[in-house]
């Protein structure tokens, strides 16, 4: 006798349609989804498991992302996204750097623009975790440049790994400037666990931390790894960042206006 596969009830089917839309919009946290849909977390986990089997999403620790496998863009691809906004954010960040400062500079395209605006400075020390920032500052005569040791990760060209994390135990930077592929109330969204660990170590090492994020990053959850923003920090966003998204992040905010 052939056993026919049971089809989901109408309510279940409708809920799963909503789930797919929410996950594709970057809202993949299990407990947030459970509250929003008025069901238990275990029901959401069961729904996500079945949706993953159908190839519509990819489950992660604590939630899900659009499936089947999120694409991680290269730095060259990222450089074409929101260049005016990133440069405006970088200029605001550069104005925060004072002579005598020791700063931590995360990998990424916005932090690379910050490096560009610092290349003529004197009397500052930059500890860099990205190949693109290193290339910009390598010949800056007034900048003391320190390279975090570790493995270069592609395609983001950031330096990651236990050696980089260990090195941060021995420095006390005045300021850290972090980037991310997404920023939500959970923290900074990252393509890999190594990146998430390093960003959190940078957050813990610095006296003051700034997160550089254009409007497209706010509320985005493209990957399944997170660096919690569990210490005070300031978010630097462009003028187009929606007030509703900014307010959800419970952080001090500086807005940058493109030239």
């Amino acid at each position: 006798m052939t056993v026919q596969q049971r089809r989901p009830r109408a309510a279940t089917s409708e809920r799963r349609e909503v789930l797919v839309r929410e996950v594709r919009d970057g809202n993949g946290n299990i407990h947030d989804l459970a509250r929003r849909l008025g069901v238990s977390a275990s029901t959401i986990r069961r729904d996500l498991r079945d949706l993953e089997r159908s190839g519509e999403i990819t489950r992660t620790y604590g939630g899900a992302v659009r499936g089947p496998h999120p694409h991680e863009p290269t730095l060259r691809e990222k450089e074409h996204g929101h260049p005016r906004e990133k440069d405006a954010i970088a200029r605001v960040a550069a104005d925060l750097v004072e002579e005598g400062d020791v700063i931590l500079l995360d990998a990424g395209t916005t932090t690379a623009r910050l490096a560009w605006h610092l290349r003529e400075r004197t009397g500052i020390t930059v500890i860099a975790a990205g190949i693109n920032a290193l290339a910009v500052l390598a010949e800056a005569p007034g900048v003391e440049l320190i390279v975090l040791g570790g493995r270069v990760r592609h395609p983001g060209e950031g330096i990651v790994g236990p050696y980089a994390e260990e090195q941060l135990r021995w420095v006390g930077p005045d300021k850290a400037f972090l980037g991310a592929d997404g920023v939500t109330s959970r923290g900074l969204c990252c393509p890999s666990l190594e990146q998430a660990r390093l960003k959190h170590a940078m957050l813990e090492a610095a006296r003051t931390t700034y997160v550089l994020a254009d409007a497209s990053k706010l509320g985005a959850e493209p990957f399944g790894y997170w660096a919690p923003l569990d210490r005070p920090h300031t978010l630097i966003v462009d003028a187009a960042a929606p007030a509703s998204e900014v307010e959800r992040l419970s952080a001090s905010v500086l807005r940058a206006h493109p030239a």
Side-chain angles (χ1 to χ4, degrees), residues 85-95 109-115 117-118 212 236 256:
E85 291 80 2
K86 290 177 180 179
D87 191 69
I89 291 168
R91 283 189 283 105
V92 169
D95 288 342
T109 51
T110 310
T111 50
R113 289 306 302 169
L114 171 55
H117 288 291
L118 295 176
L212 314 185
I236 306 180

Side-chain angles (χ1 to χ4, degrees), residues 174-193:
D174 299 290
K175 302 174 178 83
F177 296 93
L178 305 181
D181 288 85
V183 185
T184 76
S185 57
R186 293 187 66 186
L188 305 181
C189 187
C190 308
S192 75
L193 180 59

Side-chain angles (χ1 to χ4, degrees), residues 50-109:
D50 291 343
L51 289 170
E52 183 179 42
R53 287 173 179 168
S54 66
E56 295 182 77
I57 64 164
T58 297
R59 293 174 71 201
T60 67
Y61 181 79
V65 295
R66 68 184 67 188
H69 298 292
H71 167 68
E72 181 181 353
T74 66
L75 280 182
R76 305 293 86 78
E77 292 172 326
K78 288 183 177 181
E79 285 170 354
H80 293 295
H82 311 284
R84 292 180 66 247
E85 291 80 2
K86 290 177 180 179
D87 191 69
I89 291 168
R91 283 189 283 105
V92 169
D95 288 342
L96 298 169
V97 179
E98 303 173 310
E99 186 173 353
D101 273 350
V102 177
I103 70 168
L104 273 172
L105 202 55
D106 195 8
T109 51

Side-chain angles (χ1 to χ4, degrees), residues 30 55 84 87 106 114 128-129 131 143 147 174 190 211 223 249:
I30 285 175
R84 292 180 66 247
D87 191 69
D106 195 8
L114 171 55
I131 296 299
V143 177
V147 183
D174 299 290
C190 308
V211 176
F223 302 105
L249 300 175

